[in-house]
Amino acid sequence: MSNEASGHYVAVIGGATAGAEVASRLADRGAQVFVFEQGKRPYGKIEDGLPRWHVALRNKEYKTIDGKLDRTGVTFVPNTKIGQDIGFKELVNDWGFSAVVLANGAWRDRPVPIDGADEYVGRGLVYQNPFVIAFNHDERGDMPEASYELHDGAIVIGGGLASIDVAKIHTLQRTVEELAKRGVETDVEELEIKGIPKILEKHGLSWEELGIEPPTIYYRRRVEDMPLMSAPEGADEARIKKVEAGRKRMLEKSTGKYLFRVEPLSAPDELIVEDGKLVGIVFRRTKIENGRVVKLDETYEVRGPVVISSIGSIPEAIPGIEMNGELFDFKDWDLGRLEGFPTVFSVGNVVTGKGNIVASRKHATQVSEEAIEAYLGITEGDEASREAALEARIADTNVAEATQSILETLGQADPPSAEQRAQLEERVKARHQTIGYDDYGSWMEKVGPPC
């Protein structure tokens, strides 16, 4: 094992997939790594963004993260939000760390692109991130402040995998509820694996008999443009057409298995408000010209009991970091370098701004397609093969590159002095005392298992 980072102390902000991976890699190289996590558990969007029906995958990823954080060379600091409990500039400039790595993901929903829309959050408008978090924790009841309601005929604004998750939550859970009224016991896990039509056929029922009005996803581009899978860089027209056909095929399988609807070429344009509540959206028809969305003159109204926005996730702002629109103002977007902070690096979704679990760009298109089909629940085969394919989705795009760049930076710098290390360790110890943390194992036992 190389000890090229020996003597250096590194802070990692965020303990989920990207943070745990970079922390473990740096510890392998001799660094002492301190992982600051805003939550009580480190699992991030594996726990709170990946819908709860992915039971086997979630449990496997929990163990993987545990193994990377509960090890020599890594110290976990939970319940600590940088920018709130500890200032960002203070952590970077005053604590004595040789490097700081941002791995805090993308947790903030991109705002609905209509002026004044956010005034109706909780009054007809719901955002995807809190909706999925509440769904995941509902069965256990361990997050009483989080709640969600399912409404027939929900309006979902989006077009990516996260919007499909939102639509599936509606049709799966509502099917469970309606079947229960008819004496049929099932759950979202069984329905997600087997599909709603097969379960209904087994019990001699039809979708129409259940009387459920499914949600509709309104997407501003074509079905073929849905970001379900990506064309390889430099792909020719034939390959692009193949990818587009794959996207359409995936969506057709998904709507057939989970019975939600999709309305393409529809961009949200105006709010429909009555009695202080959002009751619908005016959509504007669009067309695609040279890859760009062009808005047309035609509009149409859609009314519904709730509007759920699922148009992407972006990083939460951290006081002390300049923003460039919705993202941090990186001077180097590959490694997430910030102007004026030469010891700061970034990995994962905090750089890309993608809030759902993303496939690694290092995997071939075919592997990515299999993984995405598994994520959508439309892969044929047993549960083991499905979960194996899903593992390709749990990968961050730039951990290896960032780790190497950090090591090169550490190799050019002097490690903190013994006095600096002692002061840093005292600060961490004080934080641990504040939150009641002793060690990783006892802490995880105290806060309880994830949902």
Side-chain angles (χ1 to χ4, degrees), residues 302-379:
V302 179
R303 291 172 177 260
V306 68
V307 176
I308 302 179
S309 180
S310 181
I311 58 175
S313 297
I314 54 181
E316 290 186 342
I318 296 177
I321 299 180
E322 296 292 329
M323 301 295 289
N324 182 357
E326 297 174 334
L327 301 176
F328 293 157
D329 190 13
F330 295 116
K331 67 174 183 178
D332 178 343
W333 286 86
D334 290 328
L335 297 173
R337 307 302 300 276
L338 295 168
E339 190 70 46
F341 296 101
T343 62
V344 174
F345 301 80
S346 307
V347 295
N349 289 331
V350 72
V351 184
T352 65
K354 296 178 180 178
N356 54 342
I357 312 300
V358 294
S360 170
R361 64 182 176 212
K362 296 180 178 59
H363 290 85
T365 301
Q366 181 60 35
V367 175
S368 295
E369 182 173 355
E370 291 172 358
I372 293 163
E373 288 190 347
Y375 183 88
L376 291 171
I378 57 178
T379 297

Side-chain angles (χ1 to χ4, degrees), residues 382-395:
D382 59 22
E383 182 68 10
S385 63
R386 183 170 183 246
E387 297 300 340
L390 263 168
E391 290 180 27
R393 295 195 56 74
I394 311 302

Side-chain angles (χ1 to χ4, degrees), residues 4 39 74 84 87 91 134 137 172 214 231 264 269 309 318 395 427 437:
E4 60 205 278
V74 177
Q84 178 176 302
L91 187 78
H137 287 265
L172 293 172
D269 196 65
S309 180
I318 296 177
R427 281 176 146 164
Y437 180 94

Side-chain angles (χ1 to χ4, degrees), residues 155-218:
I155 300 167
V156 182
I157 302 174
L161 292 169
S163 64
I164 292 176
D165 284 341
V166 169
K168 285 173 65 175
I169 288 171
H170 278 79
T171 57
L172 293 172
Q173 187 63 44
R174 286 289 293 117
T175 301
V176 169
E177 294 170 358
E178 291 301 322
L179 288 178
K181 294 177 183 177
R182 293 159 175 79
V184 177
E185 290 189 11
T186 185
D187 54 38
V188 293
E189 288 81 9
E190 180 183 32
L191 281 173
E192 203 274 337
I193 292 170
K194 296 181 179 179
I196 295 172
K198 282 189 177 181
I199 298 297
L200 295 181
E201 182 182 2
K202 176 182 176 181
H203 295 284
L205 294 167
S206 70
W207 179 246
E208 289 72 25
E209 286 178 78
L210 297 189
I212 297 171
E213 178 68 17
T216 301
I217 298 172
Y218 294 86

